Amino acid sequence: MRKIASGKARKAGLPVKLLGFFFRKHSAKNQGKKRGCLLFKVLGKLLGIFAAIYAVLFAVFFFDLDGKLLFYVVEPFLVKHYDKMERKNPLDMPYEIK
C-alpha cells in the first residue's frame, strides 16, 4: 500500500501491482550485480523457447522427417499387421443362378 501525503493509506490497483511485480527493485544484497528487469527476463526466456520450437519444426519440415517416420516406421508396422489378417476369398464362394 502507498501512503498519501495526508497520511491515509491507499490501496494500489491490480495493474499497478502487476507493474510493480515486473519492474520491482532488487534487494540490497543483489545491488552489486547488474540485473535486468524481470519482465525482460521472462520475455527473453519465452522468446528463446519459441525460437527453439520454431527451429525444431523447421528441421522436421526441411528434412521431411514426418514423411520418413511414416514410410520407415508406421507403414511397415501396418503392412505387417494387415497382411496377417484372414480374409474371405470371393472365388471360393459358390455362384448360383436362379
Side-chain angles (χ1 to χ4, degrees), residues 10 15 18 20 30 41-42 58 66 74 88:
R10 184 178 76 165
L18 287 175
N30 294 328
K41 285 185 179 183
V42 171
F58 179 77
D66 53 340
V74 177
K88 286 184 180 179

Side-chain angles (χ1 to χ4, degrees), residues 46-59:
L46 284 175
L47 186 63
I49 290 169
F50 285 135
I53 291 171
Y54 182 80
V56 168
L57 290 175
F58 179 77

Side-chain angles (χ1 to χ4, degrees), residues 4-52:
I4 303 178
S6 65
K8 293 182 180 178
R10 184 178 76 165
K11 276 189 166 184
L14 183 63
V16 175
K17 287 181 183 180
L18 287 175
L19 286 174
F21 174 75
F22 285 117
F23 292 101
R24 69 177 179 220
K25 302 259 181 188
H26 300 289
S27 63
K29 65 180 178 182
N30 294 328
Q31 287 290 337
K33 299 178 185 176
K34 290 186 177 181
R35 296 181 65 179
C37 182
L38 181 62
L39 176 65
F40 296 122
K41 285 185 179 183
V42 171
L43 287 177
K45 287 181 183 180
L46 284 175
L47 186 63
I49 290 169
F50 285 135

Side-chain angles (χ1 to χ4, degrees), residues 72-90:
Y72 291 112
V73 177
V74 177
E75 187 178 353
F77 172 74
L78 292 175
V79 166
K80 204 182 296 183
H81 172 71
Y82 285 107
D83 280 351
K84 289 180 182 176
M85 288 179 60
E86 292 185 21
R87 295 179 180 87
K88 286 184 180 179
N89 189 352

Side-chain angles (χ1 to χ4, degrees), residues 59-78:
V60 167
F61 165 76
F62 187 78
F63 295 109
D64 192 31
L65 297 178
D66 53 340
K68 290 177 182 177
L69 175 75
L70 288 172
F71 184 74
Y72 291 112
V73 177
V74 177
E75 187 178 353
F77 172 74
L78 292 175

